[in-house]
Amino acid sequence: EVHRVRFFGLVPAGVRCLACHPRGARLALARTDGAVEVYNFAANYFQEKVIPGHEARTVESLCWAAGDRLFGAGLGGDITEYDLSRLSAARGVDGGGGPIWSMAANGTGTQLAIGCEDGSVKIFQVVPGGIQFERNLDRRKGRVLCLSWHPSDTHIVAGSIDFFRVIDVASGQTVQRIMVNHHVEKAKRECVVWAIALLSSGTVVSADSFGRVQFWGWEQGTLAESHTVSTSAALSLAVSEKEDSIVVGTSTGATYQLQLLPVKLGGLEKRWVRTKPFQHHSHDVRAVAHSPTALISGGLDAQLVIRPLMEKMQKKGYEAVLRKFTFPHRRLVSCARKARLLLFQFSQHLELWRLGSTEETGKDGEVLPLCRMPEHLVQLKSKGPEHIYCSCVSPCGTWVGYSTASRFQLYRVRCDGDGVSLRKV
């Protein structure tokens, strides 16, 4: 007999942000429930680490710094460093500017810049064993939603609502402030700059809530090119290492690629051209990344999609396959075979079910009617803000255990005529 189980009501958490390791073959991913995952490109995009979420910890942005150290920041206002060997949050430092909307590491990985709710951009020094506050840069009104360093670490560009500004890191002063809507006649609604990038040529690339990807010469404050990629918002943006390709994620679930191509064959003049649209997601694409050989996107539909760039592939094979990660790679269901029980794991509670049964017999492939329906026996809520990392039910069905990042709980389950009783051990 094969039981078709359709009563596991798992709602997967959407992908909130991505961070590609600048020199290594690893991808860090944060979900809307605060969980952080690390994928290894070299081992066929294997999910090698999962750090469970926490009720008090949201992750709005992730970045790698100082080699293999991973940092996250969120609306709780803390910058958290993750311990990748113990799979836990190692230490947290208060950013000091309210909720943190964005964070970026400089090219050498020695400094972190954070963009805060109060309009400030703060620099933190990455030191052995933690981070230290270094200084505040020029503060202006409006929350800082996105940040990007110049590859030479001399300037930072910070995007807000209706404008972005370029800050000189040495002096800490704003050297250019550009309104993204000044050329629109009487703009009725505000324009949110959701993502921004500062290229080594000095060009600023912005993605905004009007669905535009715009290229600005920041020294003159002029708009060089504007591409409307979507009728709704462009939410995320990532640039390739060689700065000749850009991937953009939108709120319709589509991702677009723009490439820097010569206007004439063999000519020197180049322009940005929208080359490929992809529709792999059903909801907002809040996070994109650009590896040397692939476009990576993560959506609120909880899918991680890795789309290889065929022109970068030397040969067709396993590396050139489109990958979609649509379901959790951890075991969330455990089975007590003798007792015919199933234990389902959610982020903050467990459910114990008894399988239905039938007295009919039939041929292979037939669906048999149930004489007893599946029965929901117990819902067990975990204490505290930490999310459940793993859980198990014993084969006899009388023991249930679960674990969070810091503690382990064991329960004795008794099923008798009156119902089910749970006793903590």
Side-chain angles (χ1 to χ4, degrees), residues 164 178 180 182-183 196-199 201-208 212-218 221-229 237-239 243-248 257-260 270-274:
F164 68 84
I178 297 174
V180 289
H182 66 93
H183 55 285
I196 205 155
L198 181 52
L199 308 183
S201 61
T203 303
V204 175
V205 190
S206 66
D208 60 39
R212 303 172 304 194
V213 177
Q214 298 184 310
F215 297 83
W216 306 81
W218 73 263
T222 53
L223 178 64
E225 291 182 51
S226 180
H227 299 260
T228 303
V229 294
L237 177 82
V239 185
E243 296 186 354
D244 58 357
S245 169
I246 291 174
V247 56
V248 182
Q257 187 189 11
L258 291 101
Q259 285 177 285
L260 190 60
K270 292 186 173 183
R271 290 196 63 176
W272 287 96
V273 180
R274 196 178 94 191

Side-chain angles (χ1 to χ4, degrees), residues 145 189-195 206-214 227-237 247-256 274 278-279 283-288 298 300:
L145 292 169
R189 56 197 171 103
E190 61 186 22
C191 177
V192 182
V193 181
W194 281 118
S206 66
D208 60 39
S209 57
F210 287 7
R212 303 172 304 194
V213 177
Q214 298 184 310
H227 299 260
T228 303
V229 294
S230 174
T231 52
S232 55
L235 297 173
S236 48
L237 177 82
V247 56
V248 182
T250 65
S251 60
T252 56
T255 51
Y256 297 90
R274 196 178 94 191
F278 306 113
Q279 184 83 41
H283 291 65
D284 298 13
V285 181
R286 295 296 299 269
V288 289
L300 288 186

Side-chain angles (χ1 to χ4, degrees), residues 72-81 91-103 112-125 131-137 139:
L75 301 183
D78 285 358
I79 306 168
T80 306
E81 182 173 358
R91 56 187 76 81
V93 174
D94 186 11
I100 299 170
W101 287 93
S102 52
M103 178 173 63
L112 297 178
I114 61 167
C116 304
E117 174 79 25
D118 64 358
S120 63
V121 176
K122 300 175 189 294
I123 302 283
F124 284 80
Q125 193 81 22
I131 54 171
Q132 280 179 356
F133 174 71
E134 194 174 313
R135 61 204 177 99
N136 278 315
L137 303 183
R139 179 176 156 190

Side-chain angles (χ1 to χ4, degrees), residues 41 44-45 278 280 291 293-295 305-324:
F41 289 4
N44 190 23
Y45 297 99
F278 306 113
H280 295 306
S291 81
T293 57
L295 307 178
V305 177
I306 297 166
R307 169 120 204 162
L309 293 169
M310 300 311 282
E311 65 267 22
K312 298 277 182 7
M313 297 290 171
Q314 303 302 320
K315 56 184 185 296
K316 285 190 176 176
Y318 209 52
E319 294 300 308
V321 179
L322 172 75
R323 284 176 176 77
K324 274 190 177 186

Side-chain angles (χ1 to χ4, degrees), residues 359-380:
E359 290 167 352
E360 304 282 326
T361 56
K363 293 200 289 290
D364 190 16
E366 283 184 348
V367 178
L368 303 177
L370 294 178
C371 68
R372 204 177 77 219
M373 297 300 288
E375 191 184 351
H376 184 195
L377 301 176
V378 171
Q379 182 175 16
L380 175 63

